[in-house]
Amino acid sequence: AELFDQFLEENHPQPDVFHLLKTSFSSLEEEKREFEMIARVFEIKLLKELGLLPRFTDCVGCGSELERKVYFSSRQGGVFCDRCYRKQKSGFLISQGCLQAIRFISSSQDFSRAVHVRLGQQIRKELEQVTKQFIKVRLDHEIKSLRFIDQVKQLLNKVSIR
């Protein structure tokens, strides 16, 4: 909800964005175990709906098709090929799995299907890193609710260890 407040202007109704928020809350209510993926799917879909989703289709430096090595840059708003990354030195390496997951989530019409896409822990971590980094740069500050989610994750990890 905090992202909703930060990215939207008052008195400018956005029914599709409202529907996305409502779907996210319903999903949270039904599937508490998947709260991290629900958050990632919400973030990616919100950014896409608002026209803010970084470019994941081609290199933001030269426009070429993406190769095996892909680097995400929050500041540049997308991914670099290896050649452009060496020139820019901006961003961090992301896996092909993460790139494919972002593309799938952003294009999927079915929120629940996007939440339940089978992803390994490493790709989930990369997704979190990409979305958090981009949102932080875009807003020029960290979102409090993201810190709260981190605290809940730590608590759940402690509980599951015992």
Side-chain angles (χ1 to χ4, degrees), residues 71 80-92:
Y71 301 84
F80 283 115
C81 65
D82 194 41
R83 193 174 44 253
C84 290
Y85 172 75
R86 281 187 262 141
K87 292 178 198 169
Q88 299 287 327
K89 296 289 185 202
S90 172
F92 55 89

Side-chain angles (χ1 to χ4, degrees), residues 38-80:
I38 292 168
R40 297 296 85 76
V41 171
F42 173 75
E43 292 160 354
I44 291 168
K45 289 191 165 298
L46 177 65
L47 291 170
K48 181 180 180 186
E49 190 64 44
L50 297 176
L52 301 173
L53 186 68
R55 235 166 81 192
F56 292 102
T57 53
D58 56 359
C59 176
V60 294
C62 66
S64 68
E65 277 188 40
L66 298 173
E67 303 155 359
R68 282 194 141 305
K69 281 191 170 181
V70 178
Y71 301 84
F72 177 72
S73 171
S74 319
R75 299 223 180 271
Q76 300 299 322
V79 288
F80 283 115

